[in-house]
Amino acid sequence: MRLCLVAGARPNFVKVAPIIRALEARQHNDWFLVHTGQHYDPQLSDVFFTELGLPAPDVCLNVGSGSHAEQTARVMLGLEPVLRERRPDVVVVVGDVNSTLAAALVAAKLGIRLAHIEAGLRSGDRTMPEEINRMVTDALADVLFTTSRDAHDHLAREGITADKIHFVGNVMVDALLTHRAAAQQRSILSTLGLRGVDGAPVPYAVLTLHRPSNVDDPDVLTQLMDAVEQVSRRLPVIFAVHPRTRDRLGPMITERIRMLPPLGYLDFLALTSSAALILTDSGGLQEEATVLGVPCLTLRDNTERPVTIAHGTNTLVGTSASAIVAAVDRVLGEPTRAASARPELWDGRAAERIVDVLVPQ
Ligand code: UD1
């Protein structure tokens, strides 16, 4: 049973790491890793390989940035000969980025079985590029691994039969639980002056923004930064800036907002673990906040991860400055809550369950 694992962008690296760990634990060595090169900056790629203990990729496609069509096409052109030559039994794709979609198309056209990890998430918003990627990938997949039970309803509605679907939990949570202790050892809080005289973290917020709908539209981005500026009067805001966003911020940024380059996995986990509040438009961070028990305000009108609202700390607040500031006031005024029970099967063993299905003993 030869597996081809495909990863291309930052969140993909976090998701394949637990799979590789589980394959190694099973002593199943017949697999290879393809890095599409969708993310290529050291801070979006190399640092994740190092910190997550990922082996160097067996194949690098070096596709780089481009329009959606260009990026998808380049991954397809690069991957097809690799799959023809190496002849895997299953291609495993994760998440919902352009590399996921492209690899799914190539595998399906070559008649190779396709497994999709994190299947069945739906925001209902087809203006999100990821929503298209999710729908097409799931339609093509032979084996679909889901993180929450609501995913099954979405898949059933799209005609995908139950025999293909496996509810296994969340590999991103596997990674978080594996690396949480190492993150606690990082010195980033002290470096940023986020510890009080007693050594305990001071209250601060962590911000990330990278959705095209938020950062590519100047009116929306202005609203968001206006809100963040108001929040930064109450507590320090640490903004880890994605390259896509950096180019668009220009003069909107004020001194009170602490801008950092994209952070590695461990430093970022150290920061989010001790934060009073997370403000984000990321999908994965909504899930991480749920597990960490940190209040998360999602700067979007929808989420493909409603389990983080039902069972977690997440609230959708949209993009209007007044709504965001009101939500921050509310959250900071609440007494600190004990972390509630995690969503079902978010227990750090999702990758083991996936490998049980892919490589039965
Ligand atoms: C991609 C995913 C998104 C995911 C995000 C995680 C798609 C459609 N989007 O968004 O779902 O949440 O990754 O970060 O697949 N750039 C660099 N260095 C890099 C890579 C990109 O500077 O290493 C810049 C380039 O200007 C590029 C832009 O970021 O044009 C966007 O990169 P791209 O990979 O197209 O999408 P992301 O916004 O990163």
Side-chain angles (χ1 to χ4, degrees):
M1 175 59 65
R2 176 170 304 157
L3 305 180
C4 167
L5 309 175
V6 181
R10 180 168 64 178
N12 291 171
F13 309 136
V14 181
K15 290 168 196 167
V16 294
I19 303 294
I20 291 177
R21 192 176 283 257
L23 287 168
E24 284 170 347
R26 179 69 66 81
Q27 296 183 326
H28 183 84
N29 301 319
D30 197 5
W31 55 269
F32 61 97
L33 175 62
V34 176
H35 185 333
T36 67
Q38 176 172 346
H39 282 176
Y40 44 86
D41 277 358
Q43 277 303 103
L44 295 186
S45 178
D46 302 17
V47 67
F48 285 78
F49 277 76
T50 308
E51 294 186 354
L52 295 165
L54 278 164
D58 299 281
V59 179
C60 293
L61 302 180
N62 299 317
V63 301
S65 302
S67 72
H68 286 259
E70 286 166 341
Q71 202 170 50
T72 308
R74 278 194 227 124
V75 175
M76 292 180 72
L77 286 170
L79 187 60
E80 189 180 51
V82 173
L83 297 186
R84 279 192 198 282
E85 190 191 317
R86 292 183 175 241
R87 310 185 68 77
D89 299 295
V90 183
V91 170
V92 181
V93 295
V94 295
D96 54 16
V97 303
N98 285 345
S99 299
T100 310
L101 167 71
L105 284 165
V106 177
K109 296 260 178 174
L110 290 176
I112 301 171
R113 278 172 75 73
L114 175 68
H116 183 205
I117 294 173
E118 206 178 82
L121 297 183
R122 296 291 182 272
S123 65
D125 176 2
R126 289 200 195 182
T127 65
M128 268 181 101
E130 293 82 0
E131 185 79 350
I132 310 279
N133 296 347
R134 292 177 196 125
M135 293 178 72
V136 177
T137 304
D138 285 341
L140 298 176
D142 302 287
V143 190
L144 297 95
F145 294 109
T146 61
T147 56
S148 58
R149 291 199 183 271
D150 55 306
H152 294 233
D153 301 335
H154 302 140
L155 295 172
R157 226 176 289 139
E158 292 170 21
I160 294 162
T161 51
D163 55 316
K164 293 182 179 176
I165 307 171
H166 302 265
F167 174 39
V168 291
N170 192 325
V171 284
M172 229 170 174
V173 176
D174 294 9
L176 186 155
L177 297 176
T178 301
H179 296 283
R180 197 174 180 177
Q184 299 296 348
Q185 302 304 314
R186 308 289 288 191
S187 55
I188 185 159
L189 268 73
S190 309
T191 308
L192 294 176
L194 297 173
R195 290 195 185 280
V197 279
D198 58 353
V202 300
Y204 63 90
V206 171
L207 168 69
T208 77
L209 281 177
H210 76 286
R211 293 267 154 243
S213 57
N214 279 347
V215 303
D216 290 357
D217 180 335
D219 292 339
V220 178
L221 189 58
T222 304
Q223 277 277 326
L224 289 170
M225 294 317 296
D226 178 24
V228 173
E229 204 275 330
Q230 293 183 56
V231 174
S232 72
R233 292 165 194 256
R234 285 201 60 173
L235 77 177
V237 176
I238 313 298
F239 185 8
V241 186
H242 187 285
R244 176 184 203 104
T245 311
R246 183 188 52 213
D247 302 339
R248 291 157 174 81
L249 279 171
M252 286 184 206
I253 212 79
T254 71
E255 264 174 31
R256 261 195 302 272
I257 303 168
R258 309 265 301 266
M259 276 173 76
L260 301 177
L263 296 172
Y265 185 72
L266 295 177
D267 275 347
F268 193 66
L269 182 54
L271 268 184
T272 51
S273 299
S274 296
L277 176 67
I278 292 172
L279 298 156
T280 191
D281 60 8
S282 151
L285 195 43
Q286 296 171 47
E287 299 182 335
E288 290 169 339
T290 285
V291 175
L292 295 170
V294 175
C296 176
L297 300 180
T298 295
L299 310 176
R300 291 170 47 188
D301 296 322
N302 54 53
T303 179
E304 61 290 331
R305 292 163 163 93
V307 72
T308 61
I309 296 175
H311 296 278
T313 54
N314 191 21
T315 311
L316 284 181
V317 290
T319 54
S320 106
S322 56
I324 295 167
V325 173
V328 169
D329 285 344
R330 198 178 58 244
V331 167
L332 293 179
E334 285 170 359
T336 314
R337 282 172 299 177
S340 52
R342 288 185 209 133
E344 190 179 359
L345 297 189
W346 289 23
D347 58 0
R349 303 188 58 189
E352 277 174 52
R353 296 185 193 102
I354 289 168
V355 169
D356 282 344
V357 173
L358 291 177
V359 190
Q361 275 175 323

